Amino acid sequence: MDVKSAFNNVDKTFLGKRMEKLGVKADLIRWTMSFMSDHQVKLILDGETSEPYPVDTGIPQGSPAAPILFITYLSCIFEAVEKAVPGVSELSFVDDIGWWAEGRDKEAVAAELSKVSAAFITWAAENGVAFDQSKTEAALFRRKQKRSEAKVRVGDNEVPFNKHATQWLGVWLDSQLKLRHHQEVRMKEATKTLARLQRLTGRMGLSPSNCRRVMTACIQSTAMIGAELWWKGEKGGTDGMAKELQVMVNREARATTGCFRTTNQGALAMESGLRPASNQLENRQRRFGLRLLSLPQGAMAREIVGARTAISKRLASAFSYTWTATEEIVLGSVPLPFEAEVIQEEREKAMEEATA
């Protein structure tokens, strides 16, 4: 569900009450009220500028405080909906709100989500929030691929479950979470990018080293978005998608070096300096695990590394092959929280020893 005109419809009075309920300090609440007061807008049509009009609602966009204030403004909706429909969970990113319900029967899941929609609409009407019904989607995840005729009631509309993949935060999620469609989309985008860059590098005459940087930054980053989620290793059943990526890497190598299509792939890789696809996938998955471990203590995403899930096992496998002694000390299985004061003392002590 997508909040309509998210930042523009925030009421400062309601936001202030919400911040007070959350225990925010009075000085910060007064600063927020001042931050959202005395705003004016002007309309420019065909070069003509209108008189300024006062605006009493909305959070100024472009400020680092804007998304924080908006999340604070919407935070109470999760409590209201979860209280009205016990058992559901939420997953949101700014103004994109997702609701999660589990069940053995698809009709029962649709009924639960319909209750969630009703509770959401009720809260929105009471608090001056509107959402875009045209952007509302429903996805059903299950092990067996079957068609579902169940629909989720959203206001006066009925939203069917998507028959194909659903895009969420840049990742295409299919019903069985194999992410095959996602990888197909990424490969198409990477192929288009490669074709455009080949024309550009041919005209501009980039050196091989600069060309390699362009290939790595633009094409490989495009093709491997979300690869950490579907890569299962060379023997995990995803070697087919890895081979498709390797074909793309070979094309990048030929574009970088100008070699013929019949050039030996080993020599081509050495001359271009581009790493094989499987190595890159392993490295991306390892870095993904390290990012999770570097999150603060208590973060839910951090628990993925030690959980008994398939992706946790893949992360552990990636660590077992690439974990160095330094990484074991800095990011162990149960890393200690960083203490700024201790780090500062050790740094000052090291400087004193160096200058002594």
Side-chain angles (χ1 to χ4, degrees):
M1 306 182 75
D2 184 82
V3 180
K4 193 174 184 179
S5 300
F7 289 85
N8 297 331
N9 290 329
V10 174
D11 182 83
K12 65 179 182 180
T13 302
F14 180 83
L15 176 60
K17 293 180 179 179
R18 179 59 183 168
M19 295 176 68
E20 184 177 0
K21 184 177 179 181
L22 292 174
V24 179
K25 294 182 179 180
D27 290 342
L28 186 56
I29 297 177
R30 285 194 292 268
W31 178 89
T32 303
M33 296 300 101
S34 175
F35 178 66
M36 298 178 61
S37 302
D38 300 329
H39 294 161
Q40 295 180 337
V41 296
K42 295 181 180 180
L43 299 178
I44 301 177
L45 296 174
D46 297 330
E48 298 293 333
T49 305
S50 69
E51 295 294 327
Y53 292 91
V55 177
D56 296 329
T57 61
I59 301 175
Q61 298 189 40
S63 169
I68 299 175
L69 294 176
F70 180 76
I71 293 173
T72 304
Y73 181 72
L74 280 186
S75 60
C76 55
I77 188 177
F78 308 125
E79 300 176 4
V81 173
E82 291 177 358
K83 183 178 180 180
V85 188
V88 300
S89 304
E90 56 84 19
L91 182 65
S92 65
F93 184 79
V94 191
D95 60 340
D96 291 329
I97 302 176
W99 299 100
W100 182 278
E102 297 181 5
R104 295 181 177 274
D105 183 75
K106 53 184 177 295
E107 283 75 17
V109 173
E112 286 292 298
L113 293 177
S114 298
K115 295 179 183 179
V116 169
S117 173
F120 183 91
I121 293 174
T122 301
W123 181 91
E126 295 174 353
N127 296 276
V129 177
F131 68 96
D132 195 342
Q133 296 189 20
S134 62
K135 294 183 179 180
T136 302
E137 294 183 279
L140 187 63
F141 305 108
R142 52 195 170 186
R143 294 183 179 180
K144 296 182 179 180
Q145 188 173 4
K146 296 181 180 179
R147 290 187 177 182
S148 174
E149 301 298 332
K151 296 182 180 180
V152 180
R153 188 77 179 182
V154 181
D156 298 331
N157 303 326
E158 289 186 343
V159 180
F161 289 107
N162 291 342
K163 296 181 180 180
H164 304 290
T166 301
Q167 188 179 20
W168 175 256
L169 301 180
V171 179
W172 289 90
L173 304 173
D174 54 272
S175 60
Q176 295 178 291
L177 296 179
K178 293 183 177 180
L179 301 183
R180 178 64 187 178
H181 179 75
H182 168 78
Q183 184 58 17
E184 292 176 354
V185 173
R186 302 318 314 163
M187 289 299 297
K188 289 180 181 178
E189 292 295 327
T191 301
K192 294 178 182 178
T193 305
L194 177 60
R196 291 192 289 265
L197 287 177
Q198 282 180 322
R199 292 193 293 269
L200 177 63
T201 54
R203 294 176 182 176
M204 302 300 293
L206 291 178
S207 63
S209 60
N210 289 331
C211 187
R212 181 175 61 252
R213 293 173 184 171
V214 171
M215 296 296 176
T216 302
C218 299
I219 300 174
Q220 294 183 4
S221 60
T222 300
M224 296 187 183
I225 293 177
E228 301 89 341
L229 302 177
W230 59 258
W231 173 244
K232 299 179 182 179
E234 296 182 355
K235 298 181 180 180
T238 54
D239 55 332
M241 290 190 280
K243 290 180 181 178
E244 294 178 3
L245 282 172
Q246 185 59 51
V247 172
M248 177 66 67
V249 172
N250 294 340
R251 292 183 58 186
E252 297 172 22
R254 286 192 289 268
T256 301
T257 60
C259 294
F260 296 107
R261 295 177 60 87
T262 55
T263 304
N264 180 272
Q265 293 186 4
L268 188 64
M270 293 180 62
E271 291 296 328
S272 64
L274 297 174
R275 301 175 62 186
S278 59
N279 290 358
Q280 294 189 51
L281 291 169
E282 289 286 352
N283 187 46
R284 288 180 69 93
Q285 198 163 71
R286 186 201 68 198
R287 288 186 296 167
F288 173 58
L290 292 176
R291 289 199 303 272
L292 292 177
L293 286 174
S294 64
L295 293 174
Q297 293 283 351
M300 295 184 64
R302 193 179 187 277
E303 299 177 0
I304 295 177
V305 179
R308 296 182 179 181
T309 59
I311 189 171
S312 300
K313 294 179 181 178
R314 296 199 297 269
L315 291 175
S317 177
F319 286 144
S320 65
Y321 287 102
T322 57
W323 209 330
T324 64
T326 303
E327 291 171 333
E328 288 182 355
I329 296 173
V330 178
L331 294 172
S333 57
V334 185
L336 299 175
F338 291 104
E339 298 181 3
E341 296 180 357
V342 175
I343 294 175
Q344 183 65 24
E345 291 178 0
E346 293 179 351
R347 182 179 300 173
E348 293 176 354
K349 183 178 180 181
M351 293 179 64
E352 291 177 358
E353 294 178 353
T355 55

